[in-house]
Amino acid sequence: MFSYRHAFHAGNHADVLKHTTLIALMKYLTQKDTALTVIDTHAGAGLYRLDGDYTETSGEAQEGVFRLFSASNVPAAHAVPASTASKKVATSKAAGAAITAGEALAPALQDYADLLRGLNPQFATSGDLAHLKIYPGSPFIEQQFLSGRDKLKLFELHPTDFKSLTGNIAQLGVGRQVTVACEDGFEVLKTFLPPPARRAMVLCDPSYEIKSDYARVAACMGDAVKRFATGTYVVWYPIIPRPEAHDLPRKLKTLATKAGRSWLNATLTVKSSKLTTDEAGDVKRPGLPASGMFVINPPHTLKAELQAALPQMVARLGQDRNAGFTLDHGG
Ligand code: SAM
């Protein structure tokens, strides 16, 4: 059985990138009159406590959502290393972005903050980060934007997280609009495509705990685009020194281009990926230094939204001179 539990990571910098992007996508896609089917292949528990045992143990939210909203933390943005730049890539340097204390949040980050305020009324009224206690996973974010005609299908394979997810969703009292199943998200996706009203957004957000997840994401997305070419497909991936991780965005780019579909790739780096040695001489792993969101068939509004939000994420979440972002698109 898997050992990955998202509760350890809830609200970290990867969640900030992922969930800000997800909110921008959901906001746009639910504006139309036609029903939208949202499929979350790797849903997690749905809702997390930032003051719970898991999050306190890892403290990852401190380097993510807490740091983002801590007013004092507004260093200048740094450029990404030149080697990651390409023709259509906007970088933190290209955006010339350095934010100052008190600067208004970019609209996408403002929407993210508003959603967190909605779940944390005491935080909303006081602005005190000590009252930021509930963190929404992707299922809760998606659900917030649905209207009566839309459907949300959630898949989670870990029995404990599946149980938590089922309980968390049941509390919403939304009936059959949201379904939860303890099934393999990679396997079941094909059975829902194409969706009845021919509008769908798929979030594929595995833990990449198993090396084969990288290949499964690429295969699953390739198959999905063949079955339903106009869906919006969203993949989160870690940026770590591992060949499979490096190849995944390249594979997604190739499959989108071959299918004649547009794509967007946004990455956020907060620190160096190098191992360090502490005072006692012990080698320390840096933790996740960076991650990316790859979107096939992105809405035309997404690039501008992220162009405004990413420099602020870098400025607020960046931990060393390696911090930066890229925003690449094609098709
Ligand atoms: N999407 C969630 C969010 O943003 O709040 C976080 C998901 S977490 C990164 C990945 C989840 O996928 C874990 O809870 C893990 O148990 C689950 N999982 C792993 N393999 C799976 C599979 N093949 N199908 C469905 N769920 C899986």
Side-chain angles (χ1 to χ4, degrees):
M1 186 31 74
F2 311 119
S3 60
Y4 180 95
R5 309 292 305 283
H6 194 69
F8 286 110
H9 311 283
N12 68 2
H13 63 83
D15 267 6
V16 173
L17 171 67
K18 184 204 310 173
H19 294 154
T20 302
T21 308
L22 184 60
I23 289 168
L25 286 164
M26 286 301 299
K27 200 173 167 185
Y28 180 85
L29 291 169
T30 50
Q31 274 168 8
K32 300 213 167 131
D33 285 338
T34 328
L36 178 74
T37 300
V38 179
I39 304 164
D40 193 331
T41 58
H42 297 69
L47 212 53
Y48 305 93
R49 286 208 68 100
L50 292 176
D51 57 353
D53 288 347
Y54 290 119
T55 39
E56 277 184 2
T57 309
S58 72
E60 288 193 25
Q62 295 299 338
E63 293 187 2
V65 65
F66 286 111
R67 200 173 161 118
L68 184 77
F69 296 126
S70 144
S72 57
N73 177 38
V74 283
H78 296 285
V80 288
S83 60
T84 61
S86 79
K87 234 181 180 178
K88 281 187 182 171
V89 175
T91 67
S92 45
K93 190 179 181 190
I99 61 170
T100 49
E103 182 184 348
L105 286 174
L109 283 171
Q110 189 60 55
D111 290 340
Y112 178 60
D114 288 346
L115 198 133
L116 292 172
R117 285 195 190 103
L119 283 167
N120 296 275
Q122 269 194 290
F123 168 57
T125 48
S126 68
D128 181 352
L129 286 168
H131 295 302
L132 179 53
K133 293 182 174 174
I134 308 283
Y135 189 83
S138 52
F140 264 65
I141 294 174
E142 290 149 356
Q143 190 280 330
Q144 298 263 325
F145 289 89
L146 301 182
S147 61
R149 58 182 184 257
D150 303 324
K151 295 268 186 257
L152 173 57
K153 298 181 183 305
L154 305 169
F155 300 96
E156 171 53 49
L157 214 44
H158 194 293
T160 312
D161 281 351
F162 169 69
K163 205 172 155 207
S164 304
L165 179 64
T166 307
N168 286 330
I169 293 294
Q171 276 185 30
L172 291 169
V174 289
R176 293 172 61 84
Q177 183 177 37
V178 182
T179 57
V180 185
C182 190
E183 287 182 62
D184 184 327
F186 291 125
E187 285 297 320
V188 296
L189 178 59
K190 55 178 171 285
T191 63
F192 294 98
L193 300 175
R198 303 198 76 84
R199 291 189 69 236
M201 191 200 78
V202 176
L203 173 64
C204 187
D205 177 27
S207 43
Y208 299 95
E209 196 181 356
I210 312 169
K211 204 164 73 171
S212 58
D213 273 0
Y214 293 95
R216 290 190 84 191
V217 170
C220 179
M221 290 298 110
D223 178 69
V225 170
K226 274 191 195 129
R227 287 172 191 272
F228 180 50
T230 56
T232 297
Y233 299 98
V234 187
V235 174
W236 178 87
Y237 61 94
I239 301 177
I240 48 174
R242 156 168 228 162
E244 296 83 4
H246 187 71
D247 285 348
L248 180 56
R250 284 209 306 233
K251 282 186 180 168
L252 293 171
K253 212 176 283 185
T254 303
L255 83 82
T257 307
K258 276 192 181 158
R261 310 316 306 176
S262 60
W263 56 268
L264 176 148
N265 186 28
T267 71
L268 173 67
T269 301
V270 300
K271 59 185 170 186
S272 163
S273 61
K274 290 206 172 79
L275 299 177
T276 52
T277 312
D278 67 14
E279 282 155 17
D282 294 328
V283 175
K284 281 183 65 185
R285 297 193 171 277
L288 182 70
S291 70
M293 285 289 274
F294 196 98
V295 186
I296 299 173
N297 295 322
H300 70 277
T301 47
L302 187 63
K303 187 183 150 227
E305 293 239 47
L306 291 177
Q307 185 81 64
L310 283 163
Q312 293 192 346
M313 291 188 210
V314 174
R316 294 183 178 220
L317 302 180
Q319 296 178 33
D320 61 33
R321 53 187 293 280
N322 295 281
F325 73 88
T326 63
L327 186 56
D328 197 4
H329 61 99

